[in-house]
Each structure stands twice: as structure tokens, then as C-alpha cells.
Amino acid sequence: MTDHARRLLAEFVGTAALVAVVVGSGIAAQQLTDDAALQLLANSTATVFGLGVLILVFGPVSGAHFNPVVSAADWLAGRRYGTGLTATDVLTYAIAQIAGAITGAVLANVMFDLSAWQISTHDRITTGHLVGEVVATAGLIAVIFALARSGRAAMSAAAVASYIGAAYWFTSSTSFANPAVTIGRIFSDTFAGIAPGSAPGFILAQIIGAALGLALIVMLYPRSVAEAADNAVVPHPSTTDH
């Protein structure tokens, strides 16, 4: 298997596992209690632990992006200096991530003896939710690239997972912050799902948030460790080794 194929496999499996954690814990929470606060607590706690582990497992192979806007930001941050992903990498990563997200949602449905193929009816599109997604995604990108540009990318497993766990609670949208995960969650009509009509607005908000987060990092860390752009989320072999 080529190095690039291994990267795509890691992004596919890692994103599938992440969505299985998010959706599966949402289903479990919904089945265990009717209390919305407890449901969110269970969902966010499982996501924090699951995401941290997945970054540690897959990060050395692909960087553990699991997120198209992270991959796009990696390309954008590094392209002036010949580091980070290539445009082709971003496209293939995104395809693997979206396919993985859908697979993870279907897997979660099957694990809980629900219909494998579902379409969510959970409408989330409000102004507050969209602002929440901008904030959540901007913060996520800022955390990832602040660590990468200051030579602390090895701390990303704990830092990124902790940020996402906090953002579940301080953002109105419960911090999707990920276009692939947003698409995957369309396919689960449960506590963790999102209706198809809400997804485009969320994805646009995530793109805007990613741009704002990256702009902030460029101002705070101007070319300080630009070569580290290739180490988002965690250090991994150079893309030039394909």
C-alpha cells in the first residue's frame, strides 16, 4: 500500500470511528434518559475520550484531520512555503472523510438495532446555531494551528479533544465544526442527527469560521513556524513522501 493510500485509509477509518462515537453515544444517551442535559453530557464525554484516542492512533499516519476544513486550512497555511497538503490531497482527504462519516453513522445505527439507513428530521437551522458553528470552527482551527505553529502539535490529542468537549456546551450548535461530520450526521434520525435542510447552512458557517480562525493564527504567529503547517493536527510523515 502506498503512503498516500495509507493516509486516505486512516482518514476514512478515523472519521468513521469519530462519527460512530458521536452518533452512537447520542443514541445511547437518548435511550438511557429523557433529560436533555444528561444526554448532552453523555454525548460530549464520549466524544472527548473518543476523539483524543483517535488522534493518537491515526495522527502519525495522516495527521488525524477527520475534517475537510482542517485539511483545507493545512493546504492554505502551507502553500506559500511548499509545506502542508497539496490541493489534490485536500480533495482526496475530503472524499475519504465524507465517506467515512456516512459509514460511521450507518454503523452506529446498526449497532443499536436501528434502521441502517436513516435521514434525520432534527432541524437545527437558526441564526444562533449558525453563529455557534462559526465560533466553534474558528476556535478549533485556532487551537490546531496555534499548536502546530508553536511547535506543540504533539499536544493536539488532549487540546483538540478538550476544546471540542467544551464547545459542546458553550456553543448553541453543540459544535459540529466539521463538514464531513455534518454530512454523516444527516444519516441518523436521533439525538445526534441533523436534518438535510440544516446541513448547508452549518457547512457554510464552518467554512467561514475556519477562514476566521486561520486568519487569526496568521496574525498571531506570522510565519513563525510555517513549515509546521504540515503537522496539523499532529506530526506525521511529509506529504512529499507520497
Side-chain angles (χ1 to χ4, degrees):
M1 180 178 287
T2 66
D3 181 67
H4 189 59
R6 289 192 309 109
R7 289 170 181 269
L8 296 183
L9 179 61
E11 287 297 302
F12 172 82
V13 176
T15 311
L18 173 60
V19 174
V21 168
V22 172
V23 173
S25 62
I27 295 171
Q30 192 173 32
Q31 291 181 349
L32 291 170
T33 179
D34 293 325
D35 188 311
L38 288 178
Q39 290 175 348
L40 186 59
L41 179 62
N43 197 204
S44 60
T45 301
T47 300
V48 167
F49 290 134
L51 178 56
V53 169
L54 291 171
I55 291 173
L56 290 174
V57 171
F58 295 105
V61 179
S62 67
H65 293 183
F66 311 147
N67 188 334
V69 295
V70 172
S71 299
D74 185 68
W75 166 74
L76 191 61
R79 67 192 182 98
R80 285 185 59 190
Y81 309 104
T83 61
L85 298 179
T86 67
T88 300
D89 289 330
V90 173
L91 177 60
T92 55
Y93 265 46
I95 293 170
Q97 290 156 355
I98 293 169
I102 295 170
T103 301
V106 171
L107 176 61
N109 293 336
V110 171
M111 285 195 294
F112 285 88
D113 293 318
L114 302 177
S115 173
W117 194 257
Q118 304 178 12
I119 298 297
S120 177
T121 56
H122 191 169
D123 291 314
R124 296 175 181 264
I125 196 76
T126 69
T127 300
H129 284 126
L130 296 181
V131 173
E133 278 302 287
V134 172
V135 171
T137 312
L140 175 63
I141 294 297
V143 169
I144 290 170
F145 286 90
L147 294 177
R149 288 200 163 197
S150 59
R152 296 174 296 159
M155 299 175 61
S156 290
V160 171
S162 296
Y163 173 78
I164 290 297
Y168 259 83
W169 290 91
F170 77 77
T171 65
S172 56
S173 63
T174 66
S175 185
F176 284 48
N178 185 329
V181 168
T182 302
I183 292 170
R185 289 169 70 164
I186 290 173
F187 296 94
S188 183
D189 191 19
T190 65
F191 170 79
I194 179 171
S198 299
F202 266 53
I203 292 170
L204 178 59
Q206 291 155 3
I207 293 170
I208 294 170
L212 292 174
L214 188 59
L216 175 63
I217 291 304
V218 169
M219 289 187 287
L220 293 177
Y221 297 90
R223 203 189 181 283
S224 54
V225 194
E227 64 273 13
D230 189 37
N231 283 332
V233 173
V234 296
H236 55 284
S238 171
T239 55
T240 59
D241 295 336
H242 288 174

